[in-house]
Amino acid sequence: MPDVLVAGASGFAGALAARIVDRHPELTLTAVTSRSDAGRRLDDLYPHHRVPLVLGALDLDEVGPVDAAIVAYPHGASAPVVVQMRERGIKVVDLSADFRLRDVATYEEFYAEHPAAQLIDEAVYGLPELYREALRGASLVANPGCYPTAAILALAPLMPYLDDVVIDAKSGVSGAGRAPSEATHFVSADENLTPYGVGRHRHTPEIEQELGAQVTFTPHLAPLDQGEMVSCYVTLTEDLDVLALYQERYADEPFVELAARPPGVRDVRETNICRIHVHPDERTGRVLVFAVIDNLWKGAASQAVQNLNLMLGLDETAGLT
Amino acid sequence: MPDVLVAGASGFAGALAARIVDRHPELTLTAVTSRSDAGRRLDDLYPHHRVPLVLGALDLDEVGPVDAAIVAYPHGASAPVVVQMRERGIKVVDLSADFRLRDVATYEEFYAEHPAAQLIDEAVYGLPELYREALRGASLVANPGCYPTAAILALAPLMPYLDDVVIDAKSGVSGAGRAPSEATHFVSADENLTPYGVGRHRHTPEIEQELGAQVTFTPHLAPLDQGEMVSCYVTLTEDLDVLALYQERYADEPFVELAARPPGVRDVRETNICRIHVHPDERTGRVLVFAVIDNLWKGAASQAVQNLNLMLGLDETAGLT
Amino acid sequence: MPDVLVAGASGFAGALAARIVDRHPELTLTAVTSRSDAGRRLDDLYPHHRVPLVLGALDLDEVGPVDAAIVAYPHGASAPVVVQMRERGIKVVDLSADFRLRDVATYEEFYAEHPAAQLIDEAVYGLPELYREALRGASLVANPGCYPTAAILALAPLMPYLDDVVIDAKSGVSGAGRAPSEATHFVSADENLTPYGVGRHRHTPEIEQELGAQVTFTPHLAPLDQGEMVSCYVTLTEDLDVLALYQERYADEPFVELAARPPGVRDVRETNICRIHVHPDERTGRVLVFAVIDNLWKGAASQAVQNLNLMLGLDETAGLT
Amino acid sequence: MPDVLVAGASGFAGALAARIVDRHPELTLTAVTSRSDAGRRLDDLYPHHRVPLVLGALDLDEVGPVDAAIVAYPHGASAPVVVQMRERGIKVVDLSADFRLRDVATYEEFYAEHPAAQLIDEAVYGLPELYREALRGASLVANPGCYPTAAILALAPLMPYLDDVVIDAKSGVSGAGRAPSEATHFVSADENLTPYGVGRHRHTPEIEQELGAQVTFTPHLAPLDQGEMVSCYVTLTEDLDVLALYQERYADEPFVELAARPPGVRDVRETNICRIHVHPDERTGRVLVFAVIDNLWKGAASQAVQNLNLMLGLDETAGLT
């Protein structure tokens, strides 16, 4: 069985990735590392994941040979680690934003100077519903952002016909990461609801790159731990049978569900599933699309494993159902 | 001091209206009534409101003469009660939808047969920021819906220039009323987020009537008790200095605040305030407007008292700060 | 593979039992029934469980032969169904209180006239950590209440030495069941915390029967969906090395964990595990024991499957890890 | 009107104290200071309090003469500031633990070296229901801890008869203060419930000092923002009519309510009220007492103002109803 390393396993997404790999029937979780919590047990930090490993420092020599790695570092910090791993031939799924944008200038506008632009061409965008074939042969996968995952899956069937696109997104607080802050303090987030990143959220160019259309994207912080919803309001360039388009597009997708009524984020909690409801609104001519995912699962860790499955030639759904 | 009756005081909005009237320095709370809970003490049902009255049945003879009433009944049930009260010369603020829509046909499309269409012309739409002068002389006020309150205040300054309007709204569970149901069960609503009334919510025609523009309006249920947000995405027919428009329009409004950053619903919890943030988005040419209210206060009970203050010739802010 | 029927699968515990059986590697979920929701799809009621079956009415002839059943009916309604099933030789795990108390008079004091007292002797109390051997041969198992599960596991190692016992318990709202009510309304339960059943909760005699000691037991409703904690304050009749007692008692238990620090209910969310922290308090001479379970899992549905595994001769942990 | 300074107004309790003073009909809020946020507007940090002042650094020369101060600093940091203020003749309500314990050795066992033990004798323990007369003449008041407030009020009527006392307490997350940490992160606290300070919480000696009895005290963190409950399990040295004792003891207290049924923390949200339910349990001979307060109000800020009212010779309830 392939040996897998999870780097950055003390964060929410990394820890969950470690758990999914640990229970995966065809993968071995070889090591977990952390920059901030090396020396602590993972099942002390996250008892409910029940991964009985001690977090180590990231030293590839010490870790020993592994076949693949999931890297859950912040953008900027991730790329140098990925470079190191690729030099040793380790297949990598990178959860950061470092290799998601194909245009360096856009990356540098929204993030910072690119730490390893030479690897961008090698990276495949890790949305299996769009890039399944490329992912099978990939050695470096840029795992999508959580909002882009939901937004792109919500609108992919309409892609060539998108005219005007408004995306109003809502996410649970785990999306803000594990670092304590004023915004993630229980007393700030509880009984509250706040838009953020208005007009300049970093996931905007990622969504636009994949949809090939300009979007108005605004995320909101909602008082729940896990779960994410995108509410999309679009006009199309053509009159289409949109329900048929969705049914056809997603007929064989193991992790996309079409729902007859508007979904709640609870419907997909702790799953790799994206659940979508489409409502062509006759009165206004708009198409309304609502999609829900678990931001830590399909929006991060379980999608990373779905990508790993493809890269390693395993059944795409292994360890995920 | 004017004597005030609150009918339907066992519901969330009615009970809060009773509390605000009870503490009001220039009003006397004469009686509270309830169809479902007559005989129970209001401070047993809602200890935190601390209104030490027993709920009675609604019998205007028994209640005795009152100057004004706040009626918090469901649509359809409200109109007959309002008719009775108006016949006795009682000034009424009606929290139901019965007299909000000026067009009977629209009412009957979205609700049911109109129970008292003859009173529609008498009713003034109870949004003081739009109809202050008319409210001063009014004997019957149709208190706005919670979503329309936030949406109309959010967009009123842009009214003549509105082209394309998308309103994505989020509300706490108290907006669904006190009746227990599958949707309001803690286990359904907690850690969840769900759109509802997609494409056909009853507040749509009310918003369109006041804004004079077609809107795409979608509310979502969020896991909090009180609080409501509208996120508005609009294009305009003209290029305008929108920030100046808002500042001018709301300079003297005691209950509208303009905020330099996106507001959270917590910012206005238990107040009569609507807090608004405007973001002209240069990249897409859209104007983004976020407005928050407390759905039970400015969205219902405290706005009813604001209207009552105007109708009775009192200081508009009395009992509300 | 044994065929299993889940009766009462529209409630929270029944639905979860259906899901666990459905994914169980050595059981077949043959049918799900409901008194209130026959005709609805289970994955429409509970999308996140993803059990693609239609709820039927409970007609044993129509259901056809099954090996075992999990019955998730309220007390009183359960016994007649269990009688019917036992007459056909079906092995039953009963989630109601009907067969938990060995003393009919106590049952009738706390519940109502006993509907089938003749079966009490046949029933084994379904706490595997106490009755494992008896459960292997059982045909009728009385699945423990959620609070008794946590309380008894928390104190079992101290059983012969218990002198004075105070148990302060806290439960998420799912413990109150699926029926909407004033208490389970989101707006009542959210930002709240309330003791209930003070001095007379029905789980008291069940705990006392098993512990063989009088207890002061008070549950509280807490604003979370799943999860339960018992905080036990006990004095002992002897001076003991209590930590050693616990370690010895639970060394080989697959679903009991001893924790070095006080556990949170999140630690065991969606697991069959009871996690326990013991603190001998030198200052006061009391022993403090904190135990957490997921009230719907170890407190109901997954413990039912653990019992079923024993009754059917399967690995006790099958389908539960 | 007396001029009041609030020092440490950027924390939860200090900010609320500033708001209550700001709206108080007989006090003037002269200045607000903060060690961490000097320069920020208080209504930017806490929009819902609507106190339009800028936080300054604490420089008594610059602040100018004030009649009284509320100091909301952590223990240890508070005493030196209090010393400074007392030297200038400023009356002080201190929210820290520095002057609550009359025994220096106990303070040093539970906290640290005492920074100003010479002031202990001057300080009056600020629970008006116990020390009203002494508070009227006080120049330095040690405002009680939140748990002690609830626990002492819950048990004061039984004080001379207390034998065995167990107090199981639950608090919302605001009790942990504004500093972001792993424990106060929304994702840690939400859907969770955790005991802490087991066997050694700092409020224990404070409760024991006032009750004159040994107590077993254990607090738990609950997923709500504001609100606190103590569930007390006591045995008495005598057989008493406890209900009569409570009614007599609290007959004239403006901020203590006796409730016929178990209270929820929501019942007293945003009030200075302590609501108490007493249940003499015939079966076990124990007396059960449940008391709820708002930890930030009666447990801190509004009780500070109640004390200030007494110290300054104002109506005790001014600004608090």
Side-chain angles (χ1 to χ4, degrees):
Chain A
M1 291 206 299
D3 285 301
V4 178
L5 160 70
V6 176
S10 57
F12 292 152
L16 177 59
R19 161 180 153 179
I20 296 173
V21 171
D22 188 44
R23 301 184 186 180
H24 195 291
E26 302 178 51
L27 296 175
T28 300
L29 179 64
T30 305
V32 288
T33 70
S34 164
R35 300 182 301 169
S36 55
D37 293 273
R40 289 184 70 175
R41 293 183 56 89
L42 195 48
D43 57 7
D44 180 51
L45 271 182
Y46 297 94
H48 64 292
H49 286 334
R50 296 196 154 64
V51 176
L53 293 180
V54 175
L55 291 157
L58 180 60
D59 178 331
L60 292 179
D61 291 327
E62 200 168 295
V63 165
V66 296
D67 300 286
I70 295 175
V71 180
Y73 274 32
H75 68 86
S78 196
V81 169
V82 172
V83 168
Q84 258 191 289
M85 291 175 168
R86 291 301 307 129
E87 281 167 358
R88 290 168 185 242
I90 301 171
K91 297 189 174 193
V92 178
V93 179
D94 177 24
L95 268 69
S96 86
D98 284 353
F99 304 104
R100 292 178 193 157
L101 297 175
R102 281 187 280 275
D103 182 51
V104 182
T106 307
Y107 179 91
E108 301 197 334
E109 183 192 339
F110 278 83
Y111 296 91
E113 196 181 345
H114 200 297
Q118 73 278 10
L119 279 182
I120 293 179
D121 283 351
E122 185 185 332
V124 178
Y125 190 72
L127 199 61
E129 291 75 9
L130 265 72
Y131 298 101
R132 182 164 286 121
E133 285 320 306
L135 288 164
R136 285 194 216 278
S139 52
L140 170 56
V141 168
N143 214 56
C146 54
Y147 291 121
T149 295
I152 299 164
L153 289 175
L155 298 179
L158 304 177
M159 230 185 265
Y161 316 107
L162 291 172
D163 180 12
D164 187 66
V165 182
V166 169
I167 303 174
D168 185 284
K170 299 96 181 163
S171 173
V173 184
S174 60
R178 184 184 158 226
S181 71
E182 208 166 304
T184 63
H185 194 297
F186 186 87
V187 174
S188 300
D190 181 52
E191 301 299 312
N192 209 352
L193 202 54
T194 322
Y196 64 100
V198 173
R200 54 179 176 72
H201 193 278
R202 285 164 165 171
H203 285 173
T204 310
E206 190 180 335
I207 298 170
E208 294 187 337
Q209 166 183 287
E210 296 302 321
L211 292 182
Q214 194 190 55
V215 306
T216 297
F217 167 71
T218 312
H220 299 70
L221 193 67
L224 45 119
D225 56 1
Q226 279 166 246
E228 197 164 285
M229 167 173 293
V230 291
S231 305
C232 308
Y233 305 91
V234 306
T235 54
L236 303 180
T237 53
E238 285 184 34
D239 197 25
L240 299 162
D241 180 348
V242 294
L243 298 180
L245 268 181
Y246 276 80
Q247 272 151 13
E248 192 181 350
R249 181 67 179 78
Y250 288 136
D252 299 322
E253 283 299 339
F255 296 116
V256 178
E257 282 180 4
L258 297 179
R261 40 168 206 173
V265 297
R266 227 176 217 277
D267 298 355
V268 296
R269 189 180 170 98
E270 311 227 324
T271 74
N272 193 48
I273 291 170
C274 178
R275 191 170 168 100
I276 299 173
H277 172 72
V278 184
H279 176 82
D281 192 45
E282 289 188 15
R283 208 177 64 89
T284 60
R286 268 208 173 74
V287 178
L288 279 54
V289 187
F290 304 90
V292 290
I293 59 170
D294 186 314
N295 56 302
L296 291 182
W297 288 67
K298 181 64 173 170
S302 65
Q303 180 149 271
V305 174
Q306 186 181 358
N307 284 321
L308 213 54
N309 285 341
L310 288 166
M311 294 163 84
L312 296 169
L314 306 174
D315 174 358
E316 184 177 341
T317 68
L320 296 174
T321 48
Chain B
M1 290 206 300
D3 284 300
V4 178
L5 159 71
V6 176
S10 56
F12 292 152
L16 178 59
R19 160 180 154 180
I20 296 172
V21 171
D22 189 43
R23 300 185 186 179
H24 195 291
E26 301 179 50
L27 295 176
T28 300
L29 179 63
T30 305
V32 288
T33 71
S34 164
R35 299 182 302 170
S36 56
D37 292 274
R40 288 184 72 176
R41 292 182 59 88
L42 195 48
D43 56 8
D44 181 51
L45 272 180
Y46 297 95
H48 64 292
H49 287 333
R50 295 195 156 63
V51 177
L53 293 180
V54 176
L55 291 158
L58 180 61
D59 178 330
L60 291 179
D61 291 328
E62 200 167 295
V63 164
V66 295
D67 300 287
I70 294 174
V71 179
Y73 274 31
H75 69 86
S78 195
V81 168
V82 172
V83 169
Q84 258 191 288
M85 290 175 168
R86 290 302 305 128
E87 282 167 357
R88 291 171 185 242
I90 301 170
K91 297 188 175 195
V92 178
V93 179
D94 178 25
L95 268 69
S96 86
D98 285 352
F99 303 105
R100 291 178 194 157
L101 297 175
R102 282 187 279 275
D103 182 51
V104 181
T106 307
Y107 179 91
E108 301 197 335
E109 183 192 340
F110 278 83
Y111 294 91
E113 196 181 344
H114 201 294
Q118 73 280 9
L119 280 182
I120 293 179
D121 283 351
E122 186 185 331
V124 178
Y125 190 72
L127 200 59
E129 290 78 8
L130 265 72
Y131 297 102
R132 183 164 286 121
E133 285 319 306
L135 289 165
R136 284 194 216 278
S139 51
L140 171 56
V141 168
N143 213 57
C146 54
Y147 290 122
T149 295
I152 298 164
L153 290 175
L155 298 180
L158 304 177
M159 229 186 266
Y161 317 106
L162 290 172
D163 180 12
D164 188 65
V165 181
V166 169
I167 302 173
D168 186 284
K170 301 96 180 163
S171 174
V173 184
S174 60
R178 184 183 157 225
S181 71
E182 208 165 305
T184 63
H185 194 298
F186 186 87
V187 175
S188 300
D190 181 52
E191 300 300 311
N192 208 351
L193 202 54
T194 325
Y196 65 99
V198 174
R200 54 179 175 70
H201 192 277
R202 285 164 164 171
H203 286 172
T204 311
E206 190 180 334
I207 298 170
E208 293 187 337
Q209 165 182 289
E210 297 302 321
L211 291 182
Q214 194 188 55
V215 307
T216 296
F217 167 70
T218 311
H220 298 70
L221 194 66
L224 46 119
D225 56 2
Q226 280 165 246
E228 198 164 283
M229 168 174 291
V230 291
S231 307
C232 307
Y233 305 91
V234 306
T235 54
L236 302 180
T237 53
E238 288 182 32
D239 197 24
L240 299 162
D241 180 347
V242 294
L243 297 181
L245 268 181
Y246 276 79
Q247 273 153 11
E248 191 183 351
R249 180 69 178 78
Y250 288 136
D252 299 322
E253 283 299 339
F255 297 115
V256 178
E257 281 179 4
L258 297 180
R261 39 169 206 173
V265 297
R266 225 175 218 278
D267 298 354
V268 296
R269 189 180 170 99
E270 311 225 324
T271 74
N272 192 50
I273 292 169
C274 178
R275 191 170 167 100
I276 299 173
H277 173 71
V278 184
H279 177 82
D281 192 45
E282 289 187 16
R283 208 179 63 91
T284 61
R286 268 208 174 74
V287 178
L288 279 55
V289 187
F290 303 90
V292 291
I293 59 170
D294 185 314
N295 56 302
L296 291 182
W297 287 68
K298 182 64 175 170
S302 64
Q303 181 150 269
V305 174
Q306 187 181 359
N307 284 320
L308 213 53
N309 285 342
L310 288 167
M311 295 163 83
L312 296 169
L314 307 174
D315 173 359
E316 185 176 342
T317 68
L320 296 174
T321 46
Chain C
M1 292 207 298
D3 285 300
V4 179
L5 160 70
V6 177
S10 56
F12 292 152
L16 178 59
R19 160 181 151 177
I20 296 172
V21 171
D22 188 45
R23 300 184 187 181
H24 195 289
E26 301 179 49
L27 296 175
T28 300
L29 178 63
T30 306
V32 287
T33 72
S34 165
R35 299 182 303 169
S36 56
D37 292 275
R40 288 183 71 175
R41 293 182 57 90
L42 195 49
D43 57 7
D44 180 51
L45 271 181
Y46 296 96
H48 63 294
H49 286 333
R50 295 197 155 62
V51 177
L53 292 180
V54 176
L55 291 157
L58 180 59
D59 178 332
L60 292 178
D61 291 328
E62 200 167 294
V63 165
V66 295
D67 300 286
I70 294 174
V71 180
Y73 273 32
H75 69 85
S78 193
V81 168
V82 171
V83 169
Q84 257 191 289
M85 290 174 168
R86 289 301 307 127
E87 281 166 358
R88 290 170 186 242
I90 301 171
K91 297 189 175 193
V92 178
V93 179
D94 178 25
L95 267 69
S96 87
D98 284 352
F99 303 104
R100 293 177 192 158
L101 298 174
R102 283 188 278 274
D103 182 50
V104 181
T106 306
Y107 179 91
E108 301 196 334
E109 183 192 339
F110 277 82
Y111 294 92
E113 196 181 344
H114 201 294
Q118 72 279 8
L119 280 182
I120 293 178
D121 283 351
E122 186 184 332
V124 178
Y125 190 71
L127 199 60
E129 291 76 9
L130 265 71
Y131 298 102
R132 181 164 287 119
E133 285 320 306
L135 288 164
R136 285 195 215 279
S139 52
L140 171 57
V141 168
N143 214 57
C146 54
Y147 290 121
T149 295
I152 298 163
L153 291 175
L155 298 179
L158 304 176
M159 232 186 264
Y161 316 107
L162 290 172
D163 181 11
D164 186 66
V165 182
V166 169
I167 303 173
D168 185 284
K170 299 95 181 162
S171 174
V173 184
S174 60
R178 184 184 158 226
S181 71
E182 208 165 304
T184 63
H185 194 298
F186 186 88
V187 173
S188 299
D190 180 53
E191 301 300 312
N192 209 351
L193 203 52
T194 324
Y196 65 99
V198 173
R200 54 180 175 70
H201 193 276
R202 285 164 165 171
H203 286 172
T204 310
E206 189 179 337
I207 298 170
E208 293 187 337
Q209 166 182 287
E210 297 303 321
L211 292 182
Q214 194 189 55
V215 306
T216 297
F217 167 70
T218 311
H220 299 69
L221 193 66
L224 45 119
D225 56 1
Q226 279 166 247
E228 197 165 283
M229 168 173 292
V230 292
S231 306
C232 307
Y233 305 92
V234 307
T235 54
L236 302 180
T237 54
E238 286 183 35
D239 197 26
L240 298 162
D241 180 348
V242 293
L243 296 180
L245 268 181
Y246 276 80
Q247 271 151 13
E248 193 182 349
R249 180 69 179 78
Y250 288 136
D252 300 322
E253 284 298 339
F255 296 115
V256 178
E257 280 180 5
L258 298 179
R261 41 169 205 172
V265 297
R266 225 176 218 279
D267 297 356
V268 295
R269 190 180 170 99
E270 311 226 323
T271 75
N272 192 49
I273 291 169
C274 178
R275 190 170 168 102
I276 298 174
H277 172 71
V278 184
H279 175 83
D281 191 45
E282 288 187 16
R283 208 178 63 90
T284 61
R286 270 210 172 75
V287 179
L288 279 54
V289 187
F290 303 90
V292 290
I293 60 170
D294 186 314
N295 57 301
L296 292 181
W297 287 68
K298 182 64 175 170
S302 65
Q303 180 150 271
V305 173
Q306 186 181 359
N307 284 321
L308 212 55
N309 286 341
L310 288 166
M311 295 163 84
L312 296 170
L314 307 173
D315 174 358
E316 185 177 340
T317 67
L320 297 173
T321 47
Chain D
M1 290 204 300
D3 285 300
V4 179
L5 158 71
V6 176
S10 57
F12 292 153
L16 178 58
R19 160 181 152 179
I20 296 173
V21 171
D22 188 44
R23 300 185 187 179
H24 195 290
E26 302 178 48
L27 295 175
T28 300
L29 179 63
T30 305
V32 288
T33 71
S34 165
R35 299 182 302 170
S36 55
D37 293 273
R40 289 184 69 176
R41 292 182 58 89
L42 195 49
D43 57 7
D44 180 51
L45 271 181
Y46 297 95
H48 63 293
H49 286 333
R50 294 193 158 65
V51 176
L53 293 180
V54 176
L55 292 158
L58 181 59
D59 178 331
L60 291 179
D61 291 327
E62 199 168 296
V63 164
V66 295
D67 301 286
I70 295 175
V71 179
Y73 274 31
H75 68 85
S78 194
V81 168
V82 172
V83 169
Q84 258 191 289
M85 290 174 168
R86 289 302 305 129
E87 282 167 357
R88 291 171 185 240
I90 301 171
K91 298 190 174 193
V92 178
V93 180
D94 177 24
L95 268 67
S96 87
D98 284 352
F99 304 104
R100 292 179 193 156
L101 297 175
R102 283 187 278 275
D103 183 51
V104 180
T106 307
Y107 179 90
E108 301 197 335
E109 183 191 340
F110 278 82
Y111 296 91
E113 196 181 344
H114 201 294
Q118 72 279 10
L119 280 182
I120 293 180
D121 284 349
E122 185 185 332
V124 178
Y125 190 72
L127 200 60
E129 291 76 10
L130 265 72
Y131 297 103
R132 182 165 288 121
E133 286 319 307
L135 289 164
R136 284 194 216 278
S139 51
L140 171 55
V141 168
N143 214 56
C146 55
Y147 290 122
T149 295
I152 298 164
L153 291 176
L155 298 179
L158 304 176
M159 232 186 263
Y161 316 107
L162 290 172
D163 180 11
D164 187 66
V165 181
V166 169
I167 302 173
D168 185 284
K170 300 98 181 160
S171 173
V173 185
S174 60
R178 183 183 158 226
S181 70
E182 206 166 306
T184 63
H185 194 297
F186 186 89
V187 173
S188 299
D190 181 52
E191 300 299 311
N192 208 352
L193 202 53
T194 323
Y196 65 100
V198 173
R200 54 178 176 73
H201 193 277
R202 286 166 163 168
H203 285 173
T204 310
E206 189 180 334
I207 298 171
E208 294 187 336
Q209 167 182 287
E210 297 302 321
L211 291 181
Q214 194 188 55
V215 306
T216 297
F217 167 71
T218 312
H220 298 70
L221 193 66
L224 45 119
D225 56 1
Q226 279 166 244
E228 196 164 284
M229 167 173 292
V230 292
S231 306
C232 307
Y233 305 91
V234 306
T235 55
L236 303 179
T237 54
E238 287 183 34
D239 197 25
L240 299 161
D241 181 347
V242 294
L243 297 181
L245 268 181
Y246 276 79
Q247 273 151 12
E248 193 182 348
R249 179 72 178 77
Y250 288 136
D252 300 322
E253 283 299 340
F255 296 116
V256 178
E257 281 179 3
L258 297 179
R261 41 170 204 172
V265 297
R266 225 175 219 278
D267 298 355
V268 296
R269 190 181 169 99
E270 311 225 323
T271 75
N272 192 48
I273 291 169
C274 177
R275 191 171 167 102
I276 299 174
H277 172 72
V278 184
H279 176 83
D281 191 45
E282 290 186 15
R283 209 178 63 91
T284 61
R286 268 210 173 74
V287 178
L288 280 54
V289 187
F290 304 91
V292 290
I293 58 170
D294 186 313
N295 56 302
L296 290 183
W297 287 68
K298 181 67 173 169
S302 64
Q303 180 149 269
V305 174
Q306 187 182 358
N307 284 321
L308 213 54
N309 286 341
L310 288 167
M311 295 164 84
L312 296 171
L314 307 174
D315 173 0
E316 185 176 341
T317 67
L320 296 174
T321 46

